[in-house]
Coordinates of all heavy atoms in Angstrom, one line a residue:
L1 N -17.4 3.2 -4.8 CA -16.0 3.4 -4.4 C -15.5 2.3 -3.5 O -16.2 1.8 -2.7 CB -15.8 4.8 -3.8 CG -16.0 6.0 -4.7 CD1 -16.0 7.2 -3.8 CD2 -15.1 6.0 -5.8
F2 N -14.2 2.1 -3.5 CA -13.5 1.1 -2.6 C -13.4 1.7 -1.2 O -12.9 2.8 -1.1 CB -12.2 0.7 -3.2 CG -11.5 -0.3 -2.4 CD1 -11.8 -1.6 -2.4 CD2 -10.4 0.1 -1.5 CE1 -11.2 -2.5 -1.6 CE2 -9.7 -0.8 -0.8 CZ -10.1 -2.1 -0.8
Q3 N -13.8 1.0 -0.2 CA -13.8 1.5 1.1 C -12.8 0.7 1.9 O -12.6 -0.5 1.7 CB -15.1 1.3 1.8 CG -16.3 2.0 1.1 CD -16.3 3.5 1.5 OE1 -15.9 3.8 2.6 NE2 -16.6 4.4 0.6
R4 N -12.1 1.3 2.8 CA -11.1 0.6 3.7 C -11.9 -0.1 4.8 O -13.0 0.3 5.2 CB -10.2 1.6 4.4 CG -9.1 2.1 3.4 CD -8.1 2.9 4.1 NE -7.0 3.2 3.2 CZ -6.3 4.3 3.3 NH1 -6.5 5.2 4.2 NH2 -5.4 4.5 2.4
T5 N -11.4 -1.2 5.3 CA -12.0 -2.0 6.3 C -11.8 -1.2 7.6 O -10.9 -0.4 7.7 CB -11.4 -3.4 6.5 OG1 -10.0 -3.3 6.8 CG2 -11.5 -4.2 5.1
P6 N -12.6 -1.6 8.7 CA -12.3 -0.9 10.0 C -10.9 -1.1 10.5 O -10.3 -0.2 11.1 CB -13.3 -1.6 10.9 CG -14.5 -1.9 10.0 CD -13.8 -2.4 8.7
H7 N -10.3 -2.3 10.2 CA -9.0 -2.5 10.6 C -8.0 -1.6 9.9 O -7.1 -1.1 10.5 CB -8.6 -4.0 10.4 CG -7.2 -4.4 10.8 ND1 -6.7 -4.4 12.0 CD2 -6.2 -4.8 10.0 CE1 -5.5 -4.7 12.1 NE2 -5.1 -5.0 10.8
Q8 N -8.2 -1.5 8.6 CA -7.3 -0.6 7.8 C -7.5 0.8 8.2 O -6.5 1.6 8.2 CB -7.6 -0.7 6.3 CG -7.2 -2.1 5.7 CD -7.8 -2.3 4.3 OE1 -8.9 -1.9 4.0 NE2 -7.0 -3.0 3.5
L9 N -8.7 1.2 8.5 CA -8.9 2.6 9.0 C -8.2 2.9 10.3 O -7.6 3.9 10.6 CB -10.4 2.9 9.2 CG -11.2 3.1 7.9 CD1 -12.7 3.2 8.2 CD2 -10.7 4.4 7.2
S10 N -8.2 1.8 11.2 CA -7.5 2.0 12.5 C -6.0 2.1 12.2 O -5.3 3.0 12.9 CB -7.7 0.7 13.3 OG -7.0 0.7 14.5
I11 N -5.4 1.3 11.3 CA -4.0 1.4 11.0 C -3.7 2.8 10.4 O -2.7 3.5 10.7 CB -3.5 0.3 10.1 CG1 -3.7 -1.0 10.8 CG2 -2.1 0.6 9.6 CD1 -3.5 -2.2 9.8
A12 N -4.6 3.3 9.5 CA -4.3 4.5 8.8 C -4.3 5.7 9.8 O -3.6 6.7 9.6 CB -5.4 4.8 7.7
T13 N -5.1 5.6 10.8 CA -5.2 6.7 11.8 C -4.3 6.6 13.0 O -3.8 7.6 13.5 CB -6.7 6.9 12.3 OG1 -7.1 5.7 12.9 CG2 -7.6 7.3 11.2
S14 N -3.9 5.4 13.4 CA -3.1 5.2 14.6 C -1.9 4.4 14.4 O -1.2 4.1 15.4 CB -3.9 4.7 15.8 OG -4.4 3.4 15.5
G15 N -1.6 3.9 13.2 CA -0.4 3.1 12.9 C 0.8 3.9 13.0 O 0.8 5.2 13.0
T16 N 2.0 3.2 12.9 CA 3.3 3.9 13.0 C 3.6 4.5 11.6 O 3.6 3.8 10.6 CB 4.4 2.8 13.3 OG1 4.0 2.2 14.6 CG2 5.7 3.4 13.4
P17 N 3.9 5.8 11.5 CA 4.2 6.4 10.2 C 5.5 5.9 9.7 O 6.5 5.7 10.5 CB 4.3 7.9 10.6 CG 3.7 8.0 11.9 CD 3.8 6.7 12.6
A18 N 5.6 5.7 8.4 CA 6.8 5.2 7.8 C 6.8 5.6 6.3 O 5.8 6.1 5.8 CB 7.0 3.7 8.0
T19 N 7.9 5.3 5.6 CA 7.9 5.5 4.1 C 8.2 4.1 3.5 O 8.8 3.3 4.2 CB 8.8 6.5 3.7 OG1 10.2 6.2 4.1 CG2 8.5 7.9 4.2
A20 N 7.9 4.0 2.3 CA 8.2 2.7 1.6 C 8.6 3.1 0.1 O 8.0 4.0 -0.5 CB 7.0 1.8 1.6
R21 N 9.6 2.4 -0.4 CA 10.0 2.6 -1.8 C 9.3 1.5 -2.6 O 9.4 0.3 -2.2 CB 11.5 2.5 -2.0 CG 12.0 2.8 -3.4 CD 13.5 2.8 -3.5 NE 14.1 1.5 -3.1 CZ 14.2 0.5 -3.9 NH1 13.8 0.5 -5.1 NH2 14.8 -0.7 -3.4
I22 N 8.7 1.8 -3.7 CA 8.1 0.8 -4.5 C 9.1 0.1 -5.3 O 9.8 0.7 -6.2 CB 7.0 1.4 -5.5 CG1 5.9 2.1 -4.6 CG2 6.4 0.4 -6.4 CD1 4.9 2.9 -5.4
V23 N 9.3 -1.2 -5.1 CA 10.3 -2.0 -5.8 C 9.8 -2.5 -7.1 O 10.4 -2.5 -8.1 CB 10.9 -3.1 -4.9 CG1 11.8 -4.0 -5.6 CG2 11.5 -2.6 -3.6
A24 N 8.5 -2.9 -7.0 CA 7.9 -3.5 -8.2 C 6.4 -3.3 -8.1 O 5.8 -3.2 -7.0 CB 8.1 -5.0 -8.4
A25 N 5.7 -3.1 -9.3 CA 4.3 -2.9 -9.3 C 3.8 -3.6 -10.6 O 4.3 -3.3 -11.7 CB 3.9 -1.4 -9.4
H26 N 2.9 -4.5 -10.5 CA 2.4 -5.3 -11.6 C 0.9 -5.3 -11.6 O 0.2 -5.5 -10.6 CB 2.9 -6.7 -11.6 CG 4.4 -6.8 -11.5 ND1 5.2 -6.7 -12.6 CD2 5.2 -7.0 -10.5 CE1 6.4 -6.8 -12.3 NE2 6.5 -7.0 -11.0
Q27 N 0.3 -5.2 -12.8 CA -1.2 -5.3 -12.9 C -1.6 -6.8 -12.7 O -0.8 -7.7 -13.0 CB -1.6 -4.9 -14.3 CG -1.4 -3.4 -14.6 CD -1.9 -3.1 -16.0 OE1 -2.4 -3.9 -16.8 NE2 -1.9 -1.8 -16.3
T28 N -2.8 -7.0 -12.2 CA -3.3 -8.3 -12.0 C -4.4 -8.7 -13.0 O -4.8 -9.8 -13.0 CB -3.9 -8.5 -10.6 OG1 -5.0 -7.6 -10.5 CG2 -2.9 -8.2 -9.5
N29 N -4.7 -7.7 -13.8 CA -5.8 -7.9 -14.8 C -7.2 -8.1 -14.1 O -8.1 -8.6 -14.7 CB -5.6 -9.0 -15.8 CG -4.4 -8.7 -16.7 OD1 -4.2 -7.5 -17.1 ND2 -3.6 -9.7 -17.0
T30 N -7.2 -7.6 -12.8 CA -8.5 -7.6 -12.1 C -8.8 -6.2 -11.8 O -8.0 -5.4 -11.4 CB -8.3 -8.4 -10.8 OG1 -8.0 -9.7 -11.1 CG2 -9.6 -8.3 -9.9
T31 N -10.1 -5.8 -11.9 CA -10.6 -4.5 -11.5 C -11.7 -4.7 -10.4 O -12.4 -5.6 -10.5 CB -11.1 -3.7 -12.7 OG1 -12.1 -4.4 -13.3 CG2 -10.0 -3.4 -13.7
I32 N -11.8 -3.7 -9.6 CA -12.8 -3.6 -8.6 C -13.4 -2.2 -8.7 O -12.7 -1.2 -8.5 CB -12.3 -3.9 -7.1 CG1 -11.7 -5.3 -7.1 CG2 -13.4 -3.7 -6.1 CD1 -11.0 -5.6 -5.8
N33 N -14.7 -2.2 -9.0 CA -15.4 -0.9 -9.3 C -14.6 -0.1 -10.3 O -14.4 1.1 -10.1 CB -15.6 -0.2 -8.0 CG -16.5 -0.8 -7.0 OD1 -17.4 -1.6 -7.5 ND2 -16.3 -0.6 -5.8
R34 N -14.1 -0.7 -11.3 CA -13.3 -0.1 -12.4 C -12.0 0.5 -12.0 O -11.4 1.3 -12.6 CB -14.1 1.0 -13.1 CG -15.4 0.6 -13.7 CD -16.1 1.7 -14.4 NE -17.4 1.2 -14.9 CZ -18.3 1.9 -15.4 NH1 -18.1 3.2 -15.5 NH2 -19.4 1.4 -15.8
R35 N -11.5 0.0 -10.8 CA -10.2 0.4 -10.3 C -9.2 -0.8 -10.4 O -9.6 -1.9 -9.9 CB -10.3 0.9 -8.9 CG -11.2 2.2 -8.8 CD -11.5 2.6 -7.4 NE -10.3 2.9 -6.7 CZ -10.3 3.4 -5.5 NH1 -11.4 3.5 -4.8 NH2 -9.2 3.7 -4.9
P36 N -8.0 -0.6 -10.9 CA -7.1 -1.8 -11.0 C -6.6 -2.3 -9.7 O -6.3 -1.5 -8.8 CB -6.0 -1.2 -11.9 CG -6.0 0.2 -11.6 CD -7.5 0.6 -11.4
L37 N -6.5 -3.6 -9.6 CA -5.9 -4.3 -8.5 C -4.4 -4.5 -8.9 O -4.2 -5.1 -10.0 CB -6.6 -5.6 -8.1 CG -6.0 -6.4 -7.0 CD1 -6.1 -5.7 -5.7 CD2 -6.6 -7.8 -7.0
V38 N -3.5 -4.1 -8.1 CA -2.0 -4.2 -8.5 C -1.3 -5.0 -7.4 O -1.7 -4.9 -6.2 CB -1.3 -2.9 -8.7 CG1 -1.9 -2.2 -9.9 CG2 -1.4 -2.0 -7.5
D39 N -0.3 -5.8 -7.8 CA 0.6 -6.4 -6.9 C 1.8 -5.5 -6.7 O 2.4 -5.0 -7.6 CB 1.2 -7.7 -7.5 CG 0.2 -8.9 -7.5 OD1 -0.6 -9.0 -6.6 OD2 0.2 -9.6 -8.5
L40 N 2.1 -5.2 -5.4 CA 3.2 -4.3 -5.1 C 4.3 -5.0 -4.2 O 3.9 -5.8 -3.4 CB 2.7 -3.1 -4.3 CG 1.8 -2.1 -4.9 CD1 1.3 -1.1 -3.9 CD2 2.5 -1.5 -6.1
T41 N 5.5 -4.7 -4.5 CA 6.6 -5.1 -3.6 C 7.2 -3.8 -3.1 O 7.6 -2.9 -3.9 CB 7.7 -5.9 -4.4 OG1 7.1 -7.0 -5.0 CG2 8.8 -6.3 -3.5
L42 N 7.1 -3.7 -1.8 CA 7.6 -2.4 -1.1 C 8.8 -2.7 -0.2 O 8.8 -3.7 0.5 CB 6.4 -1.9 -0.2 CG 5.1 -1.6 -0.9 CD1 4.1 -1.2 0.1 CD2 5.3 -0.5 -2.0
E43 N 9.7 -1.8 -0.2 CA 10.8 -1.8 0.8 C 10.4 -0.7 1.8 O 10.5 0.5 1.5 CB 12.1 -1.5 0.1 CG 13.3 -1.6 1.1 CD 14.6 -1.2 0.5 OE1 14.9 0.0 0.3 OE2 15.4 -2.1 0.2
V44 N 10.0 -1.2 3.0 CA 9.5 -0.3 4.0 C 10.6 0.1 4.9 O 11.5 -0.7 5.3 CB 8.4 -1.1 4.8 CG1 7.9 -0.1 6.0 CG2 7.3 -1.5 4.0
Q45 N 10.7 1.4 5.2 CA 11.7 1.9 6.1 C 11.0 2.0 7.5 O 10.6 3.1 7.8 CB 12.2 3.3 5.6 CG 12.8 3.3 4.2 CD 14.0 2.4 4.1 OE1 14.8 2.4 5.0 NE2 14.1 1.6 3.1
G46 N 11.0 0.9 8.2 CA 10.3 0.9 9.4 C 11.2 1.3 10.6 O 12.5 1.5 10.4
P47 N 10.7 1.4 11.8 CA 11.5 1.9 12.9 C 12.6 0.9 13.3 O 13.5 1.3 13.9 CB 10.4 2.1 14.0 CG 9.2 1.4 13.6 CD 9.3 1.3 12.1
E48 N 12.4 -0.4 12.9 CA 13.4 -1.4 13.3 C 14.4 -1.6 12.1 O 15.1 -2.6 12.0 CB 12.7 -2.7 13.7 CG 11.9 -2.5 14.9 CD 11.1 -3.7 15.2 OE1 11.2 -4.7 14.5 OE2 10.2 -3.6 16.1
G49 N 14.3 -0.8 11.0 CA 15.1 -1.0 9.8 C 14.3 -1.4 8.6 O 13.1 -1.7 8.8
P50 N 14.9 -1.4 7.5 CA 14.1 -1.7 6.2 C 13.8 -3.2 6.2 O 14.5 -4.1 6.6 CB 15.1 -1.4 5.1 CG 16.5 -1.4 5.7 CD 16.3 -1.1 7.2
Y51 N 12.6 -3.5 5.5 CA 12.2 -4.8 5.2 C 11.2 -4.8 4.0 O 10.7 -3.7 3.7 CB 11.5 -5.5 6.5 CG 10.2 -4.7 6.9 CD1 9.0 -5.2 6.6 CD2 10.4 -3.6 7.8 CE1 7.8 -4.5 7.0 CE2 9.2 -3.0 8.2 CZ 8.0 -3.4 7.8 OH 6.9 -2.7 8.3
V52 N 11.0 -5.9 3.4 CA 10.2 -6.0 2.2 C 8.8 -6.6 2.5 O 8.7 -7.5 3.3 CB 10.9 -6.9 1.2 CG1 10.0 -7.2 -0.1 CG2 12.2 -6.3 0.8
V53 N 7.8 -6.0 1.9 CA 6.4 -6.4 2.0 C 5.8 -6.6 0.6 O 6.1 -5.8 -0.2 CB 5.6 -5.4 2.8 CG1 4.1 -5.7 2.8 CG2 6.1 -5.3 4.2
H54 N 5.1 -7.7 0.4 CA 4.4 -7.9 -0.8 C 2.9 -7.7 -0.5 O 2.4 -8.3 0.5 CB 4.6 -9.3 -1.4 CG 6.0 -9.6 -1.6 ND1 6.7 -9.2 -2.8 CD2 7.0 -10.2 -0.9 CE1 7.9 -9.5 -2.8 NE2 8.2 -10.2 -1.6
M55 N 2.2 -7.0 -1.3 CA 0.8 -6.7 -1.0 C 0.0 -6.5 -2.3 O 0.6 -6.2 -3.3 CB 0.6 -5.6 -0.1 CG 1.0 -4.2 -0.6 SD 0.9 -2.8 0.5 CE -0.9 -2.8 0.8
Q56 N -1.3 -6.6 -2.2 CA -2.2 -6.1 -3.3 C -2.9 -4.9 -2.9 O -3.3 -4.7 -1.7 CB -3.1 -7.2 -3.7 CG -2.5 -8.4 -4.4 CD -3.5 -9.3 -5.0 OE1 -4.6 -9.5 -4.5 NE2 -3.1 -9.9 -6.1
L57 N -3.1 -4.0 -3.9 CA -3.8 -2.7 -3.6 C -4.7 -2.4 -4.7 O -4.3 -2.5 -5.9 CB -2.7 -1.7 -3.4 CG -3.1 -0.3 -3.0 CD1 -3.7 -0.2 -1.6 CD2 -1.9 0.7 -3.1
V58 N -5.9 -1.9 -4.4 CA -6.8 -1.3 -5.4 C -6.5 0.1 -5.5 O -6.5 0.9 -4.5 CB -8.3 -1.5 -4.9 CG1 -9.2 -0.9 -6.0 CG2 -8.6 -3.0 -4.8
L59 N -6.2 0.6 -6.7 CA -5.7 1.9 -6.9 C -6.8 2.8 -7.6 O -7.5 2.3 -8.5 CB -4.5 2.0 -7.9 CG -3.2 1.6 -7.3 CD1 -2.1 1.6 -8.4 CD2 -2.8 2.4 -6.2
S60 N -6.9 4.0 -7.3 CA -7.6 5.0 -8.0 C -6.8 5.2 -9.3 O -5.6 5.2 -9.3 CB -7.8 6.3 -7.3 OG -8.1 7.3 -8.1
L61 N -7.5 5.5 -10.4 CA -6.8 5.8 -11.6 C -5.9 7.0 -11.5 O -4.8 7.1 -12.1 CB -7.8 6.0 -12.8 CG -8.6 4.7 -13.2 CD1 -9.6 5.0 -14.3 CD2 -7.7 3.6 -13.6
L62 N -6.3 7.9 -10.6 CA -5.4 9.1 -10.4 C -4.2 8.8 -9.6 O -3.2 9.6 -9.7 CB -6.3 10.1 -9.7 CG -7.5 10.7 -10.4 CD1 -8.3 11.6 -9.5 CD2 -7.1 11.4 -11.7
D63 N -4.1 7.7 -8.9 CA -2.9 7.3 -8.1 C -1.9 6.5 -8.9 O -0.8 6.3 -8.4 CB -3.3 6.5 -6.9 CG -4.1 7.4 -5.9 OD1 -3.8 8.6 -5.8 OD2 -5.0 6.8 -5.1
I64 N -2.2 6.0 -10.1 CA -1.3 5.2 -10.9 C 0.0 5.9 -11.1 O 1.1 5.3 -10.9 CB -2.0 4.7 -12.2 CG1 -3.1 3.7 -11.8 CG2 -0.9 4.1 -13.1 CD1 -3.9 3.3 -13.0
P65 N 0.1 7.2 -11.5 CA 1.4 7.8 -11.7 C 2.3 7.8 -10.4 O 3.5 7.8 -10.5 CB 1.1 9.2 -12.1 CG -0.3 9.1 -12.7 CD -1.0 8.1 -11.8
S66 N 1.7 7.8 -9.2 CA 2.4 7.8 -8.0 C 2.8 6.4 -7.5 O 3.5 6.3 -6.5 CB 1.5 8.4 -6.8 OG 1.2 9.7 -7.2
C67 N 2.4 5.5 -8.2 CA 2.6 4.1 -7.8 C 3.5 3.3 -8.8 O 3.2 2.3 -9.3 CB 1.3 3.4 -7.6 SG 1.4 1.8 -6.7
Q68 N 4.7 3.9 -9.1 CA 5.6 3.4 -10.1 C 6.9 2.9 -9.3 O 7.3 3.5 -8.3 CB 5.9 4.4 -11.1 CG 4.7 4.9 -11.9 CD 4.1 3.8 -12.7 OE1 4.7 2.9 -13.3 NE2 2.7 3.7 -12.7
P69 N 7.6 1.9 -9.8 CA 8.8 1.5 -9.2 C 9.8 2.7 -9.1 O 9.9 3.6 -9.9 CB 9.4 0.5 -10.2 CG 8.2 -0.1 -10.8 CD 7.2 1.1 -10.9
G70 N 10.4 2.8 -7.9 CA 11.3 3.9 -7.5 C 10.7 5.0 -6.8 O 11.4 5.8 -6.1
E71 N 9.4 5.1 -6.8 CA 8.7 6.2 -6.1 C 8.7 5.8 -4.6 O 8.6 4.6 -4.2 CB 7.2 6.3 -6.5 CG 7.1 6.8 -8.0 CD 7.5 8.2 -8.1 OE1 7.3 9.0 -7.2 OE2 8.0 8.6 -9.2
T72 N 8.7 6.8 -3.7 CA 8.5 6.7 -2.3 C 7.2 7.2 -1.9 O 6.7 8.2 -2.3 CB 9.6 7.5 -1.6 OG1 10.9 7.0 -2.0 CG2 9.5 7.4 -0.1
I73 N 6.5 6.3 -1.1 CA 5.2 6.6 -0.6 C 5.1 6.6 0.9 O 5.9 6.0 1.6 CB 4.1 5.6 -1.3 CG1 4.5 4.2 -0.9 CG2 4.0 5.8 -2.7 CD1 3.5 3.1 -1.4
D74 N 4.1 7.2 1.4 CA 3.8 7.2 2.9 C 2.9 6.0 3.2 O 2.0 5.7 2.5 CB 3.1 8.5 3.3 CG 4.0 9.7 3.2 OD1 5.2 9.6 3.5 OD2 3.4 10.8 2.9
V75 N 3.3 5.4 4.3 CA 2.5 4.2 4.8 C 2.3 4.3 6.3 O 3.0 5.1 7.0 CB 3.2 2.9 4.5 CG1 3.3 2.6 3.0 CG2 4.5 2.7 5.1
R76 N 1.4 3.6 6.8 CA 1.2 3.4 8.3 C 1.3 1.9 8.5 O 0.7 1.1 7.8 CB -0.1 4.0 8.7 CG -0.3 5.5 8.6 CD 0.6 6.2 9.5 NE 0.4 7.7 9.4 CZ 1.1 8.4 8.6 NH1 2.0 8.0 7.7 NH2 0.9 9.7 8.5
I77 N 2.0 1.6 9.6 CA 2.3 0.2 9.9 C 1.5 -0.2 11.2 O 1.5 0.5 12.2 CB 3.8 0.0 10.2 CG1 4.7 0.4 9.0 CG2 4.1 -1.5 10.5 CD1 6.1 0.5 9.3
D78 N 0.9 -1.4 11.1 CA 0.3 -2.0 12.3 C 1.4 -2.3 13.3 O 2.3 -3.0 13.0 CB -0.4 -3.2 11.9 CG -1.2 -3.9 13.1 OD1 -0.9 -3.6 14.3 OD2 -2.2 -4.6 12.8
P79 N 1.3 -1.7 14.5 CA 2.4 -1.9 15.5 C 2.5 -3.3 16.0 O 3.5 -3.7 16.5 CB 2.1 -0.9 16.7 CG 0.7 -0.3 16.4 CD 0.3 -0.7 15.0
T80 N 1.4 -4.1 15.8 CA 1.5 -5.5 16.3 C 1.9 -6.5 15.2 O 2.1 -7.7 15.4 CB 0.1 -5.9 16.8 OG1 -0.9 -5.8 15.8 CG2 -0.3 -5.0 18.0
N81 N 1.9 -6.0 13.9 CA 2.3 -6.9 12.8 C 2.8 -6.0 11.7 O 2.1 -5.4 10.9 CB 1.0 -7.6 12.3 CG 1.3 -8.5 11.1 OD1 2.5 -8.6 10.6 ND2 0.3 -9.1 10.6
R82 N 4.1 -5.9 11.6 CA 4.8 -5.0 10.7 C 4.5 -5.3 9.2 O 4.8 -4.4 8.4 CB 6.3 -4.9 11.0 CG 7.1 -6.2 10.6 CD 8.5 -6.0 10.9 NE 9.3 -6.9 10.2 CZ 10.6 -6.8 9.9 NH1 11.2 -5.7 10.3 NH2 11.2 -7.6 9.2
T83 N 4.0 -6.5 8.9 CA 3.7 -6.7 7.5 C 2.3 -6.2 7.1 O 1.9 -6.3 5.9 CB 3.9 -8.2 7.1 OG1 3.0 -9.0 7.9 CG2 5.3 -8.7 7.3
D84 N 1.6 -5.8 8.1 CA 0.2 -5.3 7.9 C 0.3 -3.8 7.8 O 0.6 -3.1 8.8 CB -0.7 -5.8 9.0 CG -2.2 -5.6 8.7 OD1 -2.5 -5.1 7.6 OD2 -3.0 -5.9 9.5
L85 N 0.1 -3.2 6.6 CA 0.3 -1.8 6.5 C -0.7 -1.2 5.5 O -1.4 -1.9 4.8 CB 1.7 -1.4 6.1 CG 2.3 -2.0 4.8 CD1 1.9 -1.2 3.6 CD2 3.8 -2.1 4.9
V86 N -0.9 0.1 5.6 CA -1.8 0.8 4.8 C -1.1 1.9 4.0 O -0.2 2.6 4.6 CB -2.9 1.5 5.6 CG1 -3.8 2.4 4.8 CG2 -3.8 0.5 6.3
V87 N -1.2 1.9 2.7 CA -0.6 2.9 1.8 C -1.5 4.2 1.9 O -2.7 4.1 1.8 CB -0.5 2.4 0.4 CG1 0.0 3.5 -0.5 CG2 0.4 1.2 0.4
L88 N -0.8 5.3 2.1 CA -1.5 6.6 2.1 C -1.2 7.3 0.8 O -0.1 7.7 0.5 CB -1.1 7.4 3.3 CG -1.3 6.8 4.7 CD1 -0.7 7.7 5.7 CD2 -2.7 6.4 4.9
F89 N -2.3 7.7 0.1 CA -2.1 8.5 -1.1 C -2.8 9.8 -0.9 O -3.8 9.9 -0.2 CB -2.7 7.8 -2.4 CG -1.8 6.7 -2.9 CD1 -2.2 5.4 -2.9 CD2 -0.6 7.0 -3.5 CE1 -1.4 4.4 -3.4 CE2 0.2 6.1 -4.1 CZ -0.2 4.7 -4.0

């Protein structure tokens, strides 16, 4: 299974809670442990207002339906770097 790094775990547990709308989601044709790697464009509703983040994310096959353009997802933002965030499924 895909494991979060210690830095990602720290953000997931103590980062700033926010939501993000998925603007775009594209397959990369790469898999990691049989899980697809996707390119995401997110519009994050942060405490300082909305902003756009581009990121790659390894998805569980069960999370694919929740990761479609237009969906709103929960995220945690690194308070020291607002473009560094963790998606919570």
Side-chain angles (χ1 to χ4, degrees):
L1 293 174
F2 181 75
Q3 300 280 327
R4 289 187 171 149
T5 67
H7 178 67
Q8 291 169 326
L9 286 173
S10 174
I11 295 170
T13 57
S14 61
T16 305
T19 59
R21 183 177 61 85
I22 300 173
V23 176
H26 302 282
Q27 293 181 358
T28 63
N29 294 322
T30 299
T31 58
I32 299 173
N33 295 331
R34 298 183 187 173
R35 296 171 64 176
L37 178 69
V38 295
D39 286 324
L40 293 177
T41 302
L42 304 175
E43 182 182 78
V44 180
Q45 301 300 318
E48 299 170 7
Y51 60 97
V52 174
V53 172
H54 301 280
M55 67 181 299
Q56 289 191 326
L57 181 66
V58 177
L59 285 179
S60 161
L61 294 177
L62 297 174
D63 291 330
I64 291 173
S66 302
C67 195
Q68 301 298 316
E71 294 291 328
T72 299
I73 55 176
D74 292 324
V75 297
R76 295 292 182 269
I77 305 168
D78 183 338
T80 63
N81 178 1
R82 71 183 199 153
T83 61
D84 194 4
L85 55 86
V86 172
V87 174
L88 304 177
F89 283 112

